[in-house]
Amino acid sequence: MAAEREAGRLLCTSSSRRCCPPPPLLLLLPLLLLLGRPASGAAATKSGSPPQSAGASVRTFTPFYFLVEPVDTLSVRGSSVILNCSAYSEPSPNIEWKKDGTFLNLESDDRRQLLPDGSLFISNVVHSKHNKPDEGFYQCVATVDNLGTIVSRTAKLTVAGLPRFTSQPEPSSVYVGNSAILNCEVNADLVPFVRWEQNRQPLLLDDRIVKLPSGTLVISNATEGDGGLYRCIVESGGPPKFSDEAELKVLQDPEEIVDLVFLMRPSSMMKVTGQSAVLPCVVSGLPAPVVRWMKNEEVLDTESSGRLVLLAGGCLEISDVTEDDAGTYFCIADNGNKTVEAQAELTVQVPPGFLKQPANIYAHESMDIVFECEVTGKPTPTVKWVKNGDVVIPSDYFKIVKEHNLQVLGLVKSDEGFYQCIAENDVGNAQAGAQLIILEHAPATTGPLPSAPRDVVASLVSTRFIKLTWRTPASDPHGDNLTYSVFYTKEGVARERVENTSQPGEMQVTIQNLMPATVYIFKVMAQNKHGSGESSAPLRVETQPEVQLPGPAPNIRAYATSPTSITVTWETPLSGNGEIQNYKLYYMEKGTDKEQDIDVSSHSYTINGLKKYTEYSFRVVAYNKHGPGVSTQDVAVRTLSDVPSAAPQNLSLEVRNSKSIVIHWQPPSSTTQNGQITGYKIRYRKASRKSDVTETLVTGTQLSQLIEGLDRGTEYNFRVAALTVNGTGPATDWLSAETFESDLDETRVPEVPSSLHVRPLVTSIVVSWTPPENQNIVVRGYAIGYGIGSPHAQTIKVDYKQRYYTIENLDPSSHYVITLKAFNNVGEGIPLYESAVTRPHTVPDPTPMMPPVGVQASILSHDTIRITWADNSLPKHQKITDSRYYTVRWKTNIPANTKYKNANATTLSYLVTGLKPNTLYEFSVMVTKGRRSSTWSMTAHGATFELVPTSPPKDVTVVSKEGKPRTIIVNWQPPSEANGKITGYIIYYSTDVNAEIHDWVIEPVVGNRLTHQIQELTLDTPYYFKIQARNSKGMGPMSEAVQFRTPKADSSDKMPNDQALGSAGKGSRLPDLGSDYKPPMSGSNSPHGSPTSPLDSNMLLVIIVSVGVITIVVVVVIAVFCTRRTTSHQKKKRAACKSVNGSHKYKGNCKDVKPPDLWIHHERLELKPIDKSPDPNPVMTDTPIPRNSQDITPVDNSMDSNIHQRRNSYRGHESEDSMSTLAGRRGMRPKMMMPFDSQPPQQSVRNTPSTDTMPASSSQTCCTDHQDPEGATSSSYLASSQEEDSGQSLPTAHVRPSHPLKSFAVPAIPPPGPPLYDPALPSTPLLSQQALNHHIHSVKTASIGTLGRSRPPMPVVVPSAPEVQETTRMLEDSESSYEPDELTKEMAHLEGLMKDLNAITTA
C-alpha cells in the first residue's frame, strides 16, 4: 500500500524548514495557465472504490450432453453387439442402461458389460423361439452426482431369426438379350446376409446382374454364359443355409415377336429419409424393351441425376431419399410394338427433428419459466418432457403450453436440473436438453437493510386478479430507491411465486391469472442496494367467485378423420360476457389422468398424432378478458381402426400325431391391435421343398387351431396374422414342426430317460442325456430340476429334441442334486437323479505392493504440473526393468464433488496437462505389477499459475442515474473465466462504435468492484461502452459494445456553477479564483489537436520570454530577503516533516536531508516519438467524445463544511464518488497524468509496451471538480497489481509527438513507515487522503496534451510541501531559513531550470 500512496503524492524531503517550496515555478505556472490555457478549465477525474462484492457469484451452466447415442442395430444369434454411448461432462458422468424401460443390473450379468466409454457390450447374443432376452429397446442414462441426469434416444436391438426361405429359385429360361429373375425370399432381417452362387461358385454382381433388397436376383441382357445352376445362401453367423438349386437355360433368339410380360412389377413401399429405395420393374419380351420411369406425370432423368439410377432390367434406385421423393411412380416398358406400364406408391417418413431446442435458463426461486421445444417429423411426432431422467407429469405447476413447450410455475430449489424434450414417431426418436439453475439471491452488502413494508392491503380483489398496495418501510420513510417483491402462493401449496414492481418507489402491484374463489397468501419484501429486507406479515386474501365470464361453447362435436387424428368443432358461447379472445381445447386419453390442452383461435381444430383405435375425451373452455369461462361437457370419440401394426404373440406348435398339429398363439398387444380383432389368418406349407401355401381363417377370438390331414414324418412351416375390418396385419415369423412317423402313444407319461451325465465346472454344470428306450410314447420335452442338496429349488424345461443343457450361475465348491424327467400332455415321467460338486474357485490373493514415496508437484505453467516420485521396491538406481506401471490421480477440491482423473505412466514422473489456471490440485500415485497393486501414496499439492482472463466481463448494463441525467452507472459481472484474482477493470467508451480502440476514452476501475459511475456526459447523445478485465497476468478480452443514449436536456439539471462557468467558457473574463486557487495541470490543445488558445505561437513565445524575465527578478528579490532572515535558530533541531496524510516522519538533523532537487532530469524519463507504437491499447486518445465538465470554481474557507459533508457521504454511499469526469469542457482532450514513482535514482523508466501494467487513467488533472481546501489532491491511477509487481515496469504512455520532447521526472523518496490506511473504508485512488491542514498540495506530474500539433511548453507543477500539523509544530515556526551554501545550490538549480525552459521554447 505504501507504493500506491507514494505514487499518488510526493512527500516533503526536507526537515530543515517547513517545507516551503521555492516560489519561481509556483508563480510561473499560474501565469502560463492564465495566458495560454483553453478558455474552459479542465475538471479532474474522480474514482472511488465501492464495497468489494457487488453481488453473489453466479454458477455457470455445466456442459452435459451425449457425444454418441445408441442407434438401431441388427444382430444375429451368437454374435457380439456393441451399443455405443458416450456422454460428456466435467466431472465424468456415471453411465447406466435401461432395457424396455427397466435398469439393467450389469454387475451380476456375465454376458452384458459396461465398457469404459459408457457403451454396452453384449457377448454371445441369445435368441430362440421362446427366449429372446437380448432383443428389445435400449436407452443410455448418464448421471452426474449433485448435477442431474440425462437420457439418450431409444435404440432397438433386433436379432435376426433362423434362416428360412419363403420362396426359392425355380427353373426358368430366357432368350439371349432378354431379362430373367430368380427369387430368393427370406426374412427381412436376413436379407443383408444373402449371396448367390452359379454352378456352386460365388456369383459376381455388376451393372448387368444385380441383387434386389428383397434378395431376388435380376439378370438383364442375358448371354449364353448366364446359363447354369443357381442357388442362394444365407450366412448369418451359424452354418450357411442353402436354397434349392434351379437351372437357368439361355435360349437363342427365335427371331419372332414375343409379347411384353412383367416378370416383376413395382410394389408400393414406405421408406425413411436417408435410406435407399429400389422400385423393381423387370419386363421380358422381344424385341427387348426399353424401360423409363415417370413420377406424377413427370419423366425422370436417370442419366443426369446423381440420386436416380436405372439398375439391371429397368429397376429404379433412389438413394438418400427425401420428403420430396414421395409420390406415384410409373414404370413404362416399350419395345416398339407394345407398351406396358405399372405403378407403385412411395411413401417417405421423416424421423423427429428439432426446429427449436430448449435453452439453458437461469432463474430464482418463485419465478415462472418456459422451456421451448419445436419439433418436426412425419408422422407428426409426439413430445414428452423428462427431468433428470423421469417423465414430467403435467400438473397445476408443470404445464404443456403451445403444443410442445414446458412451463414451470413458482420454481422451487428441487426443480433444478436437466430437462429434456423427447420427440418420437413411428420411425425414430430424438432428444434435446437444457439445464435449469436456481440462483441464490445475492448476499446483502454491508449496510442497513429495509424493514418490512407497512400496511399491506388488497385494495382490489377480483375473480382473476388482486391488486396490493402498501406503505414504505419505517426504516426508509421516503423509499424512492426501494424496489419491492410480492411473494404469493395458494393456501396449502408449498410452491411460491413472485411478482416484482416495475420501477423503484412503486408501492403497488397487480397479481394476474389467479383462480376464482381461491385463498392466496401474500408477503411483500423491500430491497435496497444492500439487499432484501424483512418480509411483511402474511396477508390472506380470497378471490371473488366467477362473474362475467364466458359460458360453455355450444354444439361441441368430435369425429375421427383418420386412425391418428380427430377433429373437434364448436360454436361461440351464447353468454360470452364480452369479446371471446380465444379457446382452450382440452383432451385426454381414456383410462389415463394426463390431460393436455391446446390454444385455439377458431371454432375447430384437428388433433394429430393420436393413438390408433383409442378413445379420447374432449372439452372446450372459452376465454375473454376476464379469464377462462365455463367448460363444456366432455365428448368422447374413438380414432378410426387400422390394420394391426404387430403380429400375434407367443406362437407355438404342438404335434398331436402323425397327421395333425395344434397351433397356439396370443393376440397382438393392445396398443398394436389398432381395432377390434375379427379373426386370424393361418398360413402353412411343407418346408422340404417349394409347395403351395394353404390358408385357414379363424374367426372371433379363438387362439388355437387344429390342423389336420398332414403327411407323416413331414416338417411344416406355420405363420399367423391378425385381422381387423381394415385388413390383415403383419404375420409372425415362420415356425416349423414335424409330424410323427407313426402315431405314438400319449395315454401315459414317458418312461425314464435312458441315461444322465453331469460335468461340473466352477460356476456351471453341463447336463447331457439320452431319450427313454421306449420310443412309442410321446415325449413333449424334458424337465431339469437342480439345487444345493435338493433338486426342487429350480426347474428348467427344454424341447424334446434337445440332448444337453448348461446350468449357469452356480456357487463354487457346492454340492448340487440334479433330476431329469421326460414329460408329455399326460404328465411328467419318472425322474433320473445325479449329483455333482462344482469346482473350487482358486484365485490366489496377491499381496499389495508398497506405495510410491516422495511425491512432488512442480508447477510448470498455468495448465501443466509435473509429478515426480520414488519407488522403494525398485533398486537404488531406480531403474524399472519389469512390467510395472504407475497410476497418477489428481483432482481439485473446488467444487467439492469433483471426481479423480487418472493416467498411467511407466516412468517415475508424469506431466499432467489440461489443468485449470489458478487452481489448487492434489496428486497421489499408486504402482501396479501384474495383479498386485499398492495403496495410494501420500498426496502432494500444487497450484497452477494464473493466466490472463480468457473471457470478457458479463452482463454489462448502463443505466442513467436518477436526478443526474449527465451521469450514468455502468454495472457488470466478472468474467466466467477469470483465471486468477481480478485486480481491476478498464471501461472504454466512445460515441462511434466503429472507431479504432485507441480512439476510445478509458476509465480505470481499481480492485474487483462491479460498478462505476461516469458523469458530465453530453445530453441526448448515444455512447458505446466496452469493459476489459485484468488480473496479475494482464488484460482479458473486451466485452461486446453496449449502447446507451443519455437523456434529453432537463431544466432541473442546470446548476449555478454550470451557468457561471459556462459564461467563462465563452471567452469572458475569468472570475476571481481566490488566493487558495491552484490551477489544474492541463495542456493547451483541444481533443482534435487544434489550438484552443486565441494567441498564435509567436505571441505565446513573447509571453513566455517575458514571464521568464519576471521570474528571474522575483528569484533575486526572494534570495535577498531569505539571506537577511538568517539567524542563530538555523542550527537548532527542526521537527520532521510529515507526509500528506500526516503518518510519516523523517528523523535526523536538518542538514542530513537536502531540499527538493528541482533539477529536471532529462535522462530519467524520455517520451520518444513512437508513431508506430506496438502497443495495442494506447492510453492517449483523440476521440472527440462530446462530454461536458464543470470549470474550476473559486473556493473559500466557507466551503469547508461542504467538503466535510462530501467526504462523509463518500464513505457511506459509494455511488456518490464512484464516478469520473472527462478532462475539459467543450471537447477538451483527456489528459494523462504521468506518475513519478518512488523508484531508485539509478533505475530508468523504459517506454516498453507491457500487457502486465494497467494503462494510466485518462482525463486526470491535479485538481478535482471543486478545489479541496483540506489538501485533497488528485493522484495518478496506480492499480493494486502494480504495487504487487512494482519491480516489473511502470505505466508508460505512447504518444505521437511532432518533435522529440524531453519529459521531467523528479524521484520521490519513499517513506520509511507504513502509510496510515484503513482498509475497511472505500479508497479512492484518484483522491489523496484528507490532511488536517488547509493547503492544497500539487502532485509532481507531467500533463501530456495533444501531440502532433504546435503547442506551448509543457507546464510542470512543483509540489508544495505539506504543512506540519499543530500537534507536532516545529521549534521555530517562522524563523527558519536557508544556509548561504544551500541557497547557492538552489540558485544553481533554478538557473539550470530556466535554461531548460528556454531550450524547450527555442525548440
Side-chain angles (χ1 to χ4, degrees):
M1 296 306 295
E4 182 182 52
R5 290 176 184 253
E6 287 305 306
R9 58 179 69 90
L10 295 176
L11 300 178
C12 175
T13 58
S14 174
S15 61
S16 62
R17 55 200 178 278
R18 296 183 62 190
C19 301
C20 177
L25 281 179
L26 202 59
L27 295 174
L28 175 63
L29 183 60
L31 290 172
L32 289 175
L33 291 177
L34 287 172
L35 293 173
R37 73 172 198 160
S40 168
T45 301
K46 294 193 302 179
S47 178
S49 292
Q52 290 299 313
S53 178
S57 61
V58 177
R59 292 164 49 203
T60 58
F61 293 110
T62 303
F64 188 15
Y65 51 87
F66 285 102
L67 298 172
V68 180
E69 293 185 74
V71 296
D72 295 346
T73 304
L74 172 64
S75 178
V76 295
R77 186 177 61 174
S79 65
S80 298
V81 176
I82 293 181
L83 297 174
N84 292 312
C85 178
S86 177
Y88 172 80
S89 177
E90 185 64 38
S92 299
N94 178 42
I95 302 296
E96 295 177 285
W97 282 86
K98 282 183 175 181
K99 178 182 181 290
D100 299 330
T102 303
F103 280 101
L104 293 174
N105 184 6
L106 300 179
E107 294 180 356
S108 61
D109 195 331
D110 57 350
R111 287 195 309 106
R112 302 187 184 101
Q113 57 179 309
L114 191 68
L115 300 183
D117 66 342
S119 300
L120 179 64
F121 176 73
I122 305 175
S123 62
N124 190 22
V125 171
V126 174
H127 190 80
S128 64
K129 290 184 292 184
H130 305 294
N131 186 24
K132 301 178 182 180
D134 294 331
E135 198 171 61
F137 293 90
Y138 289 79
Q139 189 174 40
C140 176
V141 182
T143 303
V144 175
D145 293 337
N146 301 322
L147 184 62
T149 300
I150 57 175
V151 297
S152 72
R153 70 180 299 276
T154 302
K156 182 180 181 181
L157 174 60
T158 304
V159 181
L162 296 175
R164 302 285 184 184
F165 294 101
T166 56
S167 66
Q168 302 190 46
E170 297 178 343
S172 60
S173 61
V174 59
Y175 291 112
V176 172
N178 229 320
S179 298
I181 63 169
L182 294 167
N183 291 318
C184 180
E185 186 180 352
V186 296
N187 302 343
D189 299 333
L190 294 171
V191 169
F193 309 103
V194 171
R195 66 179 181 87
W196 282 86
E197 287 185 353
Q198 180 187 14
N199 298 326
R200 303 291 176 96
Q201 297 297 321
L203 179 65
L204 299 179
L205 304 179
D206 53 23
D207 295 339
R208 197 174 57 83
I209 303 175
V210 297
K211 183 189 74 172
L212 298 182
S214 63
T216 298
L217 185 69
V218 177
I219 302 175
S220 64
N221 193 17
T223 63
E224 290 184 357
D226 295 330
L229 295 174
Y230 287 83
R231 67 176 180 178
C232 64
I233 304 104
V234 180
E235 295 175 322
S236 59
K241 180 84 172 181
F242 296 89
S243 72
D244 296 339
E245 279 191 333
E247 183 180 9
L248 176 65
K249 296 181 179 180
V250 179
L251 307 177
Q252 296 298 321
D253 189 348
E255 297 184 355
E256 63 183 21
I257 296 176
V258 178
D259 283 344
L260 296 181
V261 177
F262 276 103
L263 300 179
M264 180 176 287
R265 290 175 175 270
S267 57
S268 296
M269 63 180 59
M270 184 178 297
K271 289 292 180 181
V272 180
T273 54
Q275 295 180 347
S276 294
V278 176
L279 295 171
C281 183
V282 182
V283 183
S284 172
L286 290 177
V290 176
V291 176
R292 57 189 174 89
W293 285 86
M294 294 181 65
K295 175 196 171 187
N296 300 336
E297 309 293 329
E298 180 182 351
V299 177
L300 298 179
D301 185 3
T302 58
E303 295 181 357
S304 60
S305 174
R307 294 191 308 112
L308 303 178
V309 179
L310 204 59
L311 303 179
C315 302
L316 178 65
E317 181 183 30
I318 307 172
S319 58
D320 194 15
V321 170
T322 66
E323 262 191 288
D324 296 333
D325 294 327
T328 303
Y329 288 78
F330 298 86
C331 172
I332 303 172
D334 184 8
N335 66 353
N337 297 321
K338 188 176 180 181
T339 300
V340 294
E341 72 175 42
Q343 69 181 48
E345 191 80 14
L346 175 61
T347 304
V348 178
Q349 294 182 315
V350 183
F354 291 92
L355 300 175
K356 188 172 187 178
Q357 297 190 6
N360 295 335
I361 294 179
Y362 278 124
H364 290 283
E365 285 188 83
S366 304
M367 289 178 58
D368 302 339
I369 62 165
V370 174
F371 284 107
E372 295 185 338
C373 181
E374 294 183 20
V375 298
T376 181
K378 186 178 182 182
T380 303
T382 58
V383 169
K384 66 178 179 180
W385 284 87
V386 171
K387 177 205 168 190
N388 288 335
D390 297 325
V391 176
V392 174
I393 300 175
S395 64
D396 289 344
Y397 293 93
F398 286 83
K399 297 186 176 182
I400 305 299
V401 297
K402 295 184 179 178
E403 293 190 13
H404 303 315
N405 297 342
L406 176 66
Q407 182 182 41
V408 186
L409 304 178
L411 290 175
V412 295
K413 187 65 178 178
S414 60
D415 292 334
E416 197 174 64
F418 285 86
Y419 290 77
Q420 291 176 275
C421 176
I422 299 180
E424 184 176 15
N425 63 10
D426 294 342
V427 292
N429 60 91
Q431 61 84 21
Q435 185 180 5
L436 169 63
I437 290 182
I438 306 295
L439 296 177
E440 300 290 342
H441 288 283
T445 58
T446 304
L449 298 176
S451 58
R454 297 173 294 176
D455 300 337
V456 179
V457 296
S459 59
L460 183 58
V461 179
S462 178
T463 56
R464 298 285 174 172
F465 68 89
I466 293 177
K467 182 178 181 181
L468 296 180
T469 59
W470 58 87
R471 290 174 53 213
T472 56
S475 60
D476 195 346
H478 298 291
D480 294 335
N481 293 323
L482 295 180
T483 58
Y484 298 88
S485 297
V486 177
F487 296 88
Y488 65 103
T489 181
K490 280 186 190 178
E491 190 176 51
V493 176
R495 284 184 179 267
E496 193 175 53
R497 301 179 65 184
V498 64
E499 186 81 22
N500 298 316
T501 54
S502 57
Q503 59 187 8
E506 186 179 18
M507 289 179 290
Q508 66 178 21
V509 72
T510 300
I511 309 297
Q512 304 278 358
N513 299 322
L514 302 180
M515 297 298 294
T518 305
V519 177
Y520 289 86
I521 309 298
F522 296 88
K523 293 184 293 183
V524 184
M525 187 182 297
Q527 295 102 12
N528 60 13
K529 62 182 180 180
H530 301 296
S532 299
E534 300 176 3
S535 171
S536 66
L539 176 66
R540 185 176 183 274
V541 183
E542 183 176 3
T543 53
Q544 297 289 336
E546 194 74 78
V547 291
Q548 296 183 344
L549 295 173
N555 297 329
I556 178 172
R557 292 188 297 271
Y559 55 91
T561 54
S562 76
T564 58
S565 61
I566 292 176
T567 299
V568 184
T569 63
W570 61 90
E571 296 178 3
T572 304
L574 301 177
S575 56
N577 290 324
E579 181 182 358
I580 301 297
Q581 294 179 341
N582 70 311
Y583 298 91
K584 185 161 287 189
L585 172 61
Y586 295 86
Y587 67 97
M588 180 172 60
E589 180 183 345
K590 187 177 180 180
T592 66
D593 55 357
K594 178 183 176 182
E595 188 174 48
Q596 303 182 53
D597 58 81
I598 302 169
D599 290 328
V600 182
S601 58
S602 61
H603 290 90
S604 65
Y605 190 83
T606 299
I607 304 174
N608 298 303
L610 302 178
K611 296 180 180 179
K612 297 178 180 179
Y613 199 68
T614 303
E615 187 174 356
Y616 289 85
S617 63
F618 300 86
R619 64 187 181 91
V620 176
V621 176
Y623 279 69
N624 64 8
K625 63 180 180 180
H626 301 294
V630 180
S631 172
T632 63
Q633 293 293 326
D634 287 358
V635 55
V637 66
R638 186 185 294 272
T639 51
L640 298 180
S641 61
D642 198 359
V643 296
S645 55
Q649 306 178 88
N650 302 329
L651 179 66
S652 63
L653 302 176
E654 177 188 343
V655 180
R656 283 289 178 91
N657 50 47
S658 61
K659 292 188 177 182
S660 63
I661 294 177
V662 177
I663 179 169
H664 300 270
W665 66 90
Q666 292 294 322
S669 62
S670 59
T671 57
T672 61
Q673 292 181 10
N674 302 335
Q676 191 72 33
I677 300 296
T678 58
Y680 296 91
K681 181 184 292 185
I682 302 173
R683 304 178 68 191
Y684 63 95
R685 68 183 182 192
K686 293 181 180 179
S688 59
R689 66 179 187 276
K690 181 66 177 178
S691 60
D692 294 334
V693 176
T694 304
E695 285 190 1
T696 300
L697 288 179
V698 177
T699 59
T701 58
Q702 183 178 334
L703 298 177
S704 64
Q705 179 67 21
L706 175 63
I707 308 296
E708 297 181 303
L710 304 179
D711 295 340
R712 297 174 180 268
T714 306
E715 183 181 5
Y716 285 88
N717 293 335
F718 295 84
R719 69 193 308 180
V720 180
L723 301 177
T724 64
V725 294
N726 302 87
T728 306
T732 62
D733 294 333
W734 289 101
L735 189 61
S736 62
E738 186 176 351
T739 56
F740 298 142
E741 287 288 345
S742 59
D743 291 336
L744 302 179
D745 182 14
E746 200 173 2
T747 60
R748 51 183 175 151
V749 298
E751 294 184 359
V752 62
S754 56
S755 67
L756 173 63
H757 303 280
V758 294
R759 184 164 62 92
L761 301 176
V762 178
T763 60
S764 61
I765 296 177
V766 180
V767 182
S768 60
W769 63 89
T770 55
E773 293 182 357
N774 185 356
Q775 299 287 323
N776 295 322
I777 303 176
V778 175
V779 176
R780 300 288 179 185
Y782 296 91
I784 303 171
Y786 65 95
I788 297 178
S790 170
H792 307 299
Q794 295 190 52
T795 302
I796 298 172
K797 290 188 177 182
V798 297
D799 190 79
Y800 74 96
K801 294 182 180 179
Q802 201 158 330
R803 294 294 181 265
Y804 69 91
Y805 185 79
T806 301
I807 306 174
E808 303 280 359
N809 300 321
L810 303 180
D811 297 331
S813 304
S814 300
H815 184 270
Y816 284 88
V817 178
I818 300 154
T819 63
L820 177 70
K821 295 179 287 185
F823 67 87
N824 57 19
N825 291 335
V826 177
E828 295 180 343
I830 302 173
L832 190 61
Y833 290 85
E834 191 63 77
S835 64
V837 178
T838 52
R839 297 180 184 177
H841 186 68
T842 57
V843 177
D845 188 14
T847 58
M849 300 182 68
M850 294 180 61
V853 297
V855 181
Q856 293 183 349
S858 303
I859 294 88
L860 302 182
S861 69
H862 66 275
D863 64 347
T864 304
I865 295 180
R866 180 180 294 278
I867 309 301
T868 57
W869 60 89
D871 191 345
N872 284 343
S873 62
L874 290 176
K876 290 184 178 180
H877 55 72
Q878 292 284 295
K879 285 189 177 180
I880 302 173
T881 58
D882 50 22
S883 61
R884 73 180 63 197
Y885 66 92
Y886 301 89
T887 302
V888 182
R889 71 174 184 180
W890 65 92
K891 75 165 189 172
T892 177
N893 289 327
I894 301 176
N897 59 353
T898 305
K899 293 184 178 179
Y900 280 100
K901 291 187 176 181
N902 298 287
N904 293 334
T906 56
T907 60
L908 296 178
S909 67
Y910 184 76
L911 200 65
V912 182
T913 60
L915 303 178
K916 297 179 181 178
N918 192 39
T919 305
L920 178 66
Y921 287 87
E922 66 176 43
F923 303 87
S924 53
V925 187
M926 69 178 291
V927 60
T928 303
K929 181 181 178 182
R931 290 186 296 173
R932 298 173 59 205
S933 296
S934 72
T935 58
W936 290 103
S937 68
M938 297 183 67
T939 59
H941 294 81
T944 52
F945 294 145
E946 291 189 359
L947 181 68
V948 296
T950 53
S951 66
K954 304 181 301 183
D955 302 335
V956 181
T957 58
V958 183
V959 295
S960 177
K961 185 171 184 182
E962 187 176 3
K964 294 184 179 181
R966 291 205 299 257
T967 300
I968 59 97
I969 302 173
V970 185
N971 301 299
W972 63 91
Q973 290 296 319
S976 300
E977 299 169 0
N979 298 337
K981 179 183 179 182
I982 296 298
T983 58
Y985 297 86
I986 289 186
I987 302 174
Y988 295 79
Y989 63 95
S990 170
T991 56
D992 182 7
V993 72
N994 297 317
E996 295 293 332
I997 196 61
H998 62 263
D999 291 334
W1000 290 53
V1001 176
I1002 62 174
E1003 289 286 346
V1005 179
V1006 183
N1008 59 354
R1009 63 186 180 89
L1010 303 175
T1011 184
H1012 188 68
Q1013 295 194 15
I1014 301 176
Q1015 69 176 9
E1016 299 304 330
L1017 300 178
T1018 301
L1019 298 176
D1020 196 18
T1021 303
Y1023 286 80
Y1024 300 89
F1025 297 81
K1026 296 182 180 180
I1027 301 185
Q1028 195 175 23
R1030 167 203 167 81
N1031 58 18
S1032 62
K1033 290 298 182 181
M1035 309 299 299
M1038 292 184 185
S1039 65
E1040 295 292 331
V1042 175
Q1043 182 185 8
F1044 181 79
R1045 177 179 285 274
T1046 51
K1048 294 184 178 180
D1050 187 354
S1051 59
S1052 63
D1053 186 55
K1054 301 297 181 181
M1055 296 177 61
N1057 284 344
D1058 294 330
Q1059 298 167 3
L1061 300 177
S1063 61
K1066 296 178 181 178
S1068 60
R1069 184 179 181 276
L1070 287 172
D1072 185 11
L1073 299 179
S1075 60
D1076 292 336
Y1077 172 70
K1078 295 294 187 295
M1081 295 172 60
S1082 65
S1084 59
N1085 295 63
S1086 69
H1088 304 284
S1090 60
T1092 60
S1093 172
L1095 305 176
D1096 58 15
S1097 60
N1098 293 332
M1099 180 62 71
L1100 191 59
L1101 181 60
V1102 172
I1103 294 172
I1104 294 174
V1105 173
S1106 302
V1107 172
V1109 174
I1110 295 172
T1111 303
I1112 293 174
V1113 173
V1114 174
V1115 169
V1116 174
V1117 172
I1118 293 176
V1120 174
F1121 176 75
C1122 291
T1123 303
R1124 291 180 180 178
R1125 294 189 58 192
T1126 303
T1127 65
S1128 61
H1129 296 287
Q1130 62 193 2
K1131 296 182 180 180
K1132 294 181 180 181
K1133 293 286 185 176
R1134 295 176 175 87
C1137 292
K1138 290 191 174 182
S1139 64
V1140 175
N1141 59 8
S1143 63
H1144 304 284
K1145 294 181 180 181
Y1146 291 109
K1147 299 180 181 181
N1149 191 280
C1150 61
K1151 293 183 179 180
D1152 297 336
V1153 183
K1154 292 184 179 183
D1157 187 0
L1158 298 179
W1159 184 259
I1160 300 174
H1161 302 273
H1162 296 278
E1163 71 277 13
R1164 291 306 171 102
L1165 181 63
E1166 181 176 358
L1167 296 178
K1168 298 180 180 181
I1170 47 176
D1171 289 331
K1172 298 181 180 179
S1173 169
D1175 193 344
N1177 293 318
V1179 298
M1180 297 305 298
T1181 66
D1182 288 320
T1183 307
I1185 298 298
R1187 182 171 176 182
N1188 298 321
S1189 64
Q1190 290 177 254
D1191 292 342
I1192 303 301
T1193 60
V1195 178
D1196 53 20
N1197 291 332
S1198 64
M1199 295 183 61
D1200 289 355
S1201 62
N1202 295 333
I1203 299 299
H1204 281 295
Q1205 182 178 0
R1206 183 176 179 181
R1207 291 177 178 274
N1208 293 334
S1209 67
Y1210 164 75
R1211 287 181 171 86
H1213 306 280
E1214 53 97 12
S1215 62
E1216 287 298 327
D1217 275 70
S1218 175
M1219 59 179 94
S1220 57
T1221 58
L1222 201 60
R1225 189 184 292 276
R1226 296 173 55 193
M1228 167 60 66
R1229 176 184 177 80
K1231 300 297 185 288
M1232 186 196 71
M1233 307 305 292
M1234 294 296 297
F1236 295 95
D1237 226 342
S1238 56
Q1239 299 294 336
Q1242 68 272 15
Q1243 182 176 352
S1244 62
V1245 179
R1246 290 165 38 195
N1247 184 15
T1248 305
S1250 172
T1251 59
D1252 288 346
T1253 59
M1254 188 78 78
S1257 172
S1258 64
S1259 68
Q1260 294 187 19
T1261 67
C1262 67
C1263 300
T1264 58
D1265 290 355
H1266 304 285
Q1267 287 300 319
D1268 191 345
E1270 297 182 293
T1273 64
S1274 173
S1275 65
S1276 61
Y1277 168 75
L1278 193 64
S1280 60
S1281 61
Q1282 291 176 345
E1283 66 186 71
E1284 295 173 4
D1285 303 328
S1286 59
Q1288 296 182 3
S1289 60
L1290 290 173
T1292 60
H1294 295 280
V1295 296
R1296 297 181 175 86
S1298 58
H1299 54 78
L1301 175 63
K1302 302 279 186 170
S1303 181
F1304 319 109
V1306 181
I1309 298 175
L1316 179 60
Y1317 178 66
D1318 184 3
L1321 295 175
S1323 62
T1324 308
L1326 299 182
L1327 297 175
S1328 58
Q1329 297 295 326
Q1330 179 176 345
L1332 295 178
N1333 53 33
H1334 297 278
H1335 290 267
I1336 297 175
H1337 308 291
S1338 300
V1339 182
K1340 185 178 291 186
T1341 58
S1343 174
I1344 303 174
T1346 302
L1347 301 180
R1349 306 285 191 275
S1350 61
R1351 56 187 174 82
M1354 194 181 306
V1356 177
V1357 175
V1358 178
S1360 61
E1363 291 290 333
V1364 181
Q1365 298 183 13
E1366 293 183 3
T1367 56
T1368 58
R1369 193 179 297 276
M1370 290 185 178
L1371 294 175
E1372 297 177 15
D1373 286 324
S1374 59
E1375 296 177 357
S1376 61
S1377 63
Y1378 290 111
E1379 293 285 355
D1381 54 347
E1382 293 175 347
L1383 187 59
T1384 303
K1385 292 180 181 179
E1386 288 299 318
M1387 291 302 297
H1389 290 318
L1390 292 173
E1391 289 177 5
L1393 177 62
M1394 293 308 302
K1395 289 179 182 180
D1396 286 337
L1397 289 174
N1398 291 334
I1400 293 174
T1401 305
T1402 304

